[in-house]
Each structure stands twice: as structure tokens, then as C-alpha cells.
Amino acid sequence: MAEEGYGSFVDWNQMGDLAKSSGPTKVDCKDLKEFKQMARQGYWAKNHKLRAQVYQQLIKAIPCRTVTPDAEVYRDIMGNAASKKPSSHISLPEFVDGSPLPQYCLKAEAVASAHQIINCVAGQFPDISHCPSLPAVTSLLLHFSVDEAQCFEHISRMLACNEPGKRLLDQTFLAYESSCMTFGDLANKYCTSAHKMIVAIAQDVLEVYSDWQRWVLGDLPFSHMVRVLDIYLVEGYKVLFRVALALLKFYRKHKAEGGQGNQQQDSSKVKDDIQAFVKGIASNVTPEKLLEKAFSIRMFSRKEITLLQLTNEKSLQQKGITVKQKRRNVQLALNPDTFSSEIVSAKEMRDIWSWIPERFALCQPQLLFTTSTHGCSLTRFYSHCEGYEPTLLLIRTTDGDVCGAFLSTDWEERKRGGNKLSFFGTGECFVFRLKPEMERFEWVVIRHPELASSNKTQGQEDTASPGGQNSDNNGLQQPEKPVGDLSPFLSARHFNLNSKNTSMFMAGNFDSIIVGGGDGNALYIDSELNHGRAGRCATFDNPPLCAETFQVSLLEVWGFQDAMAP
């Protein structure tokens, strides 16, 4: 079956009907519009050799950077491949983010070849930082390559594409993450029923949608994926969105026919269920039926996708989310002879330290203020805490509950609001409780990035009253709205979350301090640092951290001392 070397990596016994070659043997076409029509119709779908030749023609036509590695570069790097047996034990580069290499009916030794090609790509493209789809694309193109070197060249050309407004593979975490958010936007706009179902059953919608590319490039059976590849190489990235939306529609139909309810469950279980459905889709949906559904969605253009993608990228950049955070297991080295807190033990402080932003993890805790030494005075609280950023607030109530907050910004920032109680701070703030159980509550937008585009009614202000309750008339300044709207089509109401007041982190004036705002405050402490309130708030989407009305037994504030400082 491997005519002229095409298909030499394929285990033909696994190919089924695809092993039979029939239909046209030649394509006389140079017009892109005609190519598009032929690809959708599956003109070369039944002839492996013809498909390989068409792929080569399409990939060679991709506009690329001037210096793009080709087959000869691969041969120079790898030497005489015939004398070397590649090993599948070579680990894949970190930028594939743990994505496995789909076998796609390849021989066992071909899987090892794919590993070798991907690692060579990593060496030639040091600017790639996140590309989880690369294993699947490499595995697919090996089917239609004469040798490893040709497959390497094809992959390189796809990665080096420099046509304005066109891309074939995400190569950074920023691009990948924004594509997941864009898929959410499109699902909400064009697959409303399916999207609402995901919202109803999944605790974190974005986590479910973070797998959208893998549904297509990885989970789809080879017979379906290769038909998608026919069109993808002609029309580009938007085809992946279309097919993923079609899969979402079929998944909803599958759930409805199964009579399964919409009980909310862990997002990972929803992801696993979708993955299992996509892998087994061949039993109910043919490749042509999948494509028919994908292209029956009267929807977006490449321009719309590009605008959405740029908007979401801009919003992520403004929040500082540009790379995948891989938390090192940094242990706080506390000296038990010098560390002394009347609220938490050394072990509990280490646990809290594991939550803080990584750039502060090597700092040592420095006690700035404690009511047992400095008294119950808000004035002294400010005088001891101003000039330090960030700080850690710890509270023990007379009931024995322990809670607190990581506060990213210097308390002196409160003075910008004059006498008004104005919120400030950043999305790195979080609240937590240690007793009776240990739990952290981050900024709600970290779990639901689509909320960053929440629009306020014109003239409306987010306010917090000195009594710890929100009010509409006490003059609190409205927090600045993020410059870049995150999701123009994804409405916060679909997530049962308040679309206002999701960026109210910390506030203080002469008679109170507040942490968290929006339909309540996570923590409110009075001017005597004696009485407080705890409640739910939209900023952290948290339950009350302790009794809703409490008395402070002890309050401490800790700073972060640079361990490397002299």
C-alpha cells in the first residue's frame, strides 16, 4: 500500500476501509476556491497517495519566514537515520503540556519517529513555549510523508507560517488560552443550548473548554480527523472551531437522548465524559455527517475569530496571564526559634505560603502588626502596615475560627480616595480560612475569565458602606474597568454570577477596613479592630469565612522580607 514510500509509517491492518485506494489519482487545480470545494467534498479522501501529494502541495504553498528549516536541515541534524533506530522513550518537549501522541494507526516504530521529529522541531523553534496540538499534527502528517525529514519540513512550514491574519498552530500559552476563551464566546453565540448545558453541569466552564482543541486534534478517530485535516490545510484554523462546535452539538444530543440530567459535577468528570464521547463518535456519526454539521453553522468569519482572539489576548495580558504558571514546590524555611505567631503554627504558615504568588515564595514572614502588642487601633494598624506590599492579614475570632487574606497592595493606597472608602488592589488578592477547615478563595475572574468583560449600567457605582454592607449612595468610587473587554458574547449571567463588583479587593478609611466587595464583603473590621462581619462577596465568590458577626480575639499582619536582602 505504501506507493512511492507514502504510508511507510502506517500499520495498514488498522486502517480498515481507508486501506483501500480508489477514486481520482490526480488533482489538476491551482485555484484556492476550487481547492476549498474539493476538500469539503472529499475529492482525494479515498486515495492515500493522492492525499499525500495534495498535502505536500498545500504545505509547500504556505507563506513562511525566510529562514525555515527544511528536510535537509533534519538530515544534517539527525545524520543517517537509516542506521539509527528512534526511541519512543524520548520524552516530548515541555511545551506540548503533557499531550500524548495519538497513534492514529501508525506502526510502533513510527511513534518513536514522531517523538524524534517533535524533539528536533523543539531545537529549531526555541520561541515555541506552548503547543499541545503538535503531537497530533505530527502523527497525522507522518501518514503522508515519505520519511521523517519530509514530515519535519511540513511541520516546520506550518509553524513558520507568516501570512498576515493566518495561523495554523498555537505556539504560546497566551494564544492557546485566548483560543479557549474565544471558543467559549462562539459556543455561547452559535451553540446556545449546548453551551447552557455545559454551564449547568460543569463547575468551571472554561476548564471544560480548555480541551476544545484536543477534541479535534487528539480525541477524534483517525477516519474523522483525516477528513478534518483535508479542509484544515486549505482553510486554516477556523475549521478547528467549526468542528469543535459541531462536536459540542452532538454531545448535547447524546446527553439528551440518554436522558441524563443536568446535575452539576466536577469539571474534570465533564471533560472525561466529552473525551469518551468524541473517541467513540464513529459508532453514531460518520466523518461526512460531522463535517456537514460543522459547516451548516451559519457563523463566523476568520475576521471575527481574529478580533475575538486579539481582544481576549489583550485582556489576558492586562491581567499578567501570558505564560502557564508551573508552581515550583517552594517550602518556606521557617526558623522555629525566631518565628512566633499567636494565631498560626509554623506548619499552617507554610501552608499559607504555598498559596502566595511565586515571586514572594522565597521571602520570610515579617510580623508588622499585632493587636496583642500594638493595641486595638486602626490608626496604629495603618502606621505599622503602610509602606509594605504585599501583606498577609490573619484573624482569630473569640469562637476559635481562623481566617485571613493575602493583600497585594500597600494600605497607603487608600489615601488616593480621600475620605471616601475606595477599593484598590489587584487580582492576586485572595481570602482564606484555616479553622475549622482550610480553604482558599481566589479572585472569581481567575476561575471565570469571561467575567472580566462584565459591563456596568451607565452611571452605576460599586459601593461599600462603613457598616460592611454594600450601598448605592455612599460615594465609593467605581473600580476601574479593565481596558480590554474579555468576552463580547459570553454573558456572566450564564454562570449564575454577579456581573458587577467582581474587582473590589481591599478598602480602608478612618473607621473600617474591608476585604472583598460586591453583594457583601468577605471581611469587614471596625475601627477598634474588635468587631467584624464575614459574608459572601462577588469578588471572591466565597462563603462566609467564619461566623457572619464575630469578635476579634487577635489580629496580626505579616509582611514579606526578602531572604536575600542584607
Side-chain angles (χ1 to χ4, degrees):
M1 297 300 301
E3 300 174 82
E4 295 184 11
Y6 294 116
S8 60
F9 296 99
V10 180
D11 182 349
W12 291 98
N13 293 324
Q14 298 183 44
M15 290 285 282
D17 290 341
L18 289 172
K20 302 171 186 176
S21 190
S22 61
T25 59
K26 189 177 182 182
V27 173
D28 290 319
C29 173
K30 293 185 179 179
D31 179 66
L32 183 61
K33 192 172 182 181
E34 190 177 350
F35 247 131
K36 180 177 176 180
Q37 185 178 3
M38 295 171 78
R40 291 195 185 188
Q41 291 174 348
Y43 184 83
W44 52 79
K46 294 183 179 179
N47 190 310
H48 189 89
K49 177 184 174 183
L50 180 60
R51 182 177 253 150
Q53 292 171 342
V54 169
Y55 284 4
Q56 184 173 3
Q57 181 181 345
L58 290 170
I59 293 173
K60 278 190 174 295
I62 295 173
C64 293
R65 299 195 290 254
T66 305
V67 180
T68 298
D70 58 12
E72 288 305 314
V73 169
Y74 184 84
R75 294 187 184 103
D76 288 344
I77 294 171
M78 303 309 299
N80 184 6
S83 65
K84 297 179 181 179
K85 188 174 181 180
S87 171
S88 59
H89 297 299
I90 302 172
S91 60
L92 292 175
E94 191 172 323
F95 64 63
V96 305
D97 196 33
S99 296
L101 189 133
Q103 189 159 353
Y104 286 144
C105 308
L106 292 175
K107 297 175 181 175
E109 56 267 32
V111 173
S113 293
H115 277 246
Q116 191 161 271
I117 292 166
I118 293 170
N119 277 285
C120 191
V121 165
Q124 294 299 302
F125 290 84
D127 52 331
I128 298 178
S129 58
H130 194 81
C131 191
S133 297
L134 188 59
V137 174
T138 304
S139 182
L140 285 165
L141 291 181
L142 258 184
H143 267 265
F144 308 100
S145 300
V146 172
D147 55 19
E148 292 178 11
Q150 188 182 65
C151 182
F152 168 82
E153 179 174 323
H154 289 170
I155 292 292
S156 296
R157 293 190 68 82
M158 292 177 70
L159 291 168
C161 173
N162 64 355
E163 181 179 336
K166 180 179 181 180
R167 68 176 177 192
L168 292 167
L169 292 168
D170 291 328
Q171 299 175 46
T172 66
F173 180 72
L174 180 63
Y176 181 82
E177 189 74 359
S178 65
S179 80
C180 298
M181 292 153 58
T182 298
F183 179 78
D185 296 340
L186 297 170
N188 179 54
K189 185 177 182 181
Y190 298 107
C191 302
T192 307
S193 297
H195 173 67
K196 285 183 177 179
M197 181 199 70
I198 297 297
V199 167
I201 64 176
Q203 293 177 349
D204 189 333
V205 179
L206 188 63
E207 184 182 347
V208 174
Y209 288 160
S210 69
D211 271 358
W212 80 271
Q213 285 193 35
R214 182 172 174 174
W215 301 344
V216 185
L217 293 167
D219 294 340
L220 268 181
F222 176 75
S223 57
H224 291 61
M225 185 56 237
V226 76
R227 283 293 289 121
V228 174
L229 187 63
D230 290 343
I231 307 170
Y232 167 65
L233 290 176
V234 177
E235 300 187 36
Y237 195 81
K238 68 176 183 179
V239 172
L240 302 182
F241 280 114
R242 281 188 175 273
V243 174
L245 289 172
L247 290 171
L248 191 62
K249 284 175 172 282
F250 279 120
Y251 176 68
R252 176 189 172 273
K253 183 180 178 183
H254 160 74
K255 294 285 284 186
E257 290 175 350
Q260 302 175 41
N262 286 346
Q263 295 86 3
Q264 192 171 76
Q265 52 188 298
D266 186 76
S267 301
S268 62
K269 292 182 179 179
V270 179
K271 290 170 68 175
D272 291 343
D273 192 42
I274 295 176
Q275 183 182 45
F277 168 75
V278 174
K279 285 185 173 182
I281 198 171
S283 61
N284 297 307
V285 181
T286 64
E288 299 311 316
K289 190 175 179 182
L290 174 64
L291 293 175
E292 181 184 348
K293 176 70 77 174
F295 289 99
S296 69
I297 304 172
R298 301 297 175 194
M299 51 176 278
F300 49 89
S301 62
R302 183 194 294 182
K303 182 179 179 181
E304 180 178 7
I305 294 172
T306 301
L307 288 173
L308 276 173
Q309 198 92 354
L310 289 173
T311 300
N312 287 330
E313 283 186 10
K314 183 178 179 182
S315 187
L316 285 168
Q317 286 173 324
Q318 287 167 345
K319 295 201 295 291
I321 304 173
T322 57
V323 296
K324 182 159 188 174
Q325 297 296 321
K326 294 201 172 180
R327 179 66 185 233
R328 293 191 295 269
N329 187 20
V330 179
Q331 291 292 326
L332 174 62
L334 281 180
N335 184 339
D337 296 330
T338 57
F339 175 76
S340 176
S341 168
E342 296 179 70
I343 298 179
V344 297
S345 65
K347 180 186 180 304
E348 288 170 330
M349 186 62 102
R350 289 192 189 98
D351 290 336
I352 295 170
W353 232 247
S354 71
W355 290 334
I356 65 173
E358 191 168 340
R359 66 185 183 280
F360 300 117
L362 294 177
C363 294
Q364 287 288 313
Q366 176 186 5
L367 185 62
L368 303 177
F369 175 85
T370 171
T371 50
S372 66
T373 301
H374 303 108
C376 298
S377 163
L378 188 55
T379 301
R380 284 196 287 274
F381 170 94
Y382 287 136
S383 67
H384 282 83
C385 297
E386 286 174 4
Y388 292 90
E389 180 180 291
T391 54
L392 184 70
L393 174 69
L394 297 177
I395 299 168
R396 188 177 71 211
T397 72
T398 53
D399 293 331
D401 296 330
V402 174
C403 58
F406 172 81
L407 302 169
S408 63
T409 306
D410 189 339
W411 277 106
E412 193 165 15
E413 192 74 13
R414 78 189 190 283
K415 296 176 182 177
R416 288 176 178 252
N419 292 325
K420 294 181 180 178
L421 193 63
S422 303
F423 277 102
F424 54 96
T426 72
E428 287 186 323
C429 294
F430 61 82
V431 295
F432 59 89
R433 59 186 175 198
L434 296 183
K435 296 175 183 177
E437 56 185 344
M438 187 173 180
E439 195 167 5
R440 171 180 60 159
F441 303 94
E442 296 178 289
W443 183 30
V444 67
V445 174
I446 293 177
R447 284 171 289 155
H448 298 283
E450 66 279 356
L451 293 180
S453 65
S454 301
N455 294 320
K456 296 175 174 53
T457 304
Q458 190 171 3
Q460 187 176 28
E461 290 188 334
D462 295 332
T463 59
S465 70
Q469 302 297 319
N470 283 333
S471 168
D472 291 331
N473 56 11
N474 76 341
L476 176 65
Q477 294 179 346
Q478 179 177 331
E480 290 184 8
K481 181 182 174 184
V483 178
D485 286 342
L486 184 55
S487 294
F489 301 124
L490 198 56
S491 173
R493 60 187 165 80
H494 291 296
F495 296 85
N496 300 316
L497 292 169
N498 195 326
S499 62
K500 304 177 298 178
N501 307 340
T502 53
S503 299
M504 304 170 75
F505 302 108
M506 52 193 289
N509 63 4
F510 60 90
D511 63 1
S512 66
I513 57 173
I514 290 175
V515 178
D519 292 340
N521 303 121
L523 289 170
Y524 163 85
I525 309 292
D526 68 9
S527 61
E528 295 179 350
L529 305 183
N530 189 19
H531 292 92
R533 302 177 194 229
R536 300 178 180 274
C537 77
T539 296
F540 300 112
D541 191 27
N542 60 287
L545 302 176
C546 58
E548 295 191 8
T549 301
F550 63 87
Q551 185 171 354
V552 177
S553 171
L554 194 63
L555 184 149
E556 294 177 349
V557 179
W558 292 80
F560 293 74
Q561 186 176 34
D562 187 353
M564 305 301 292

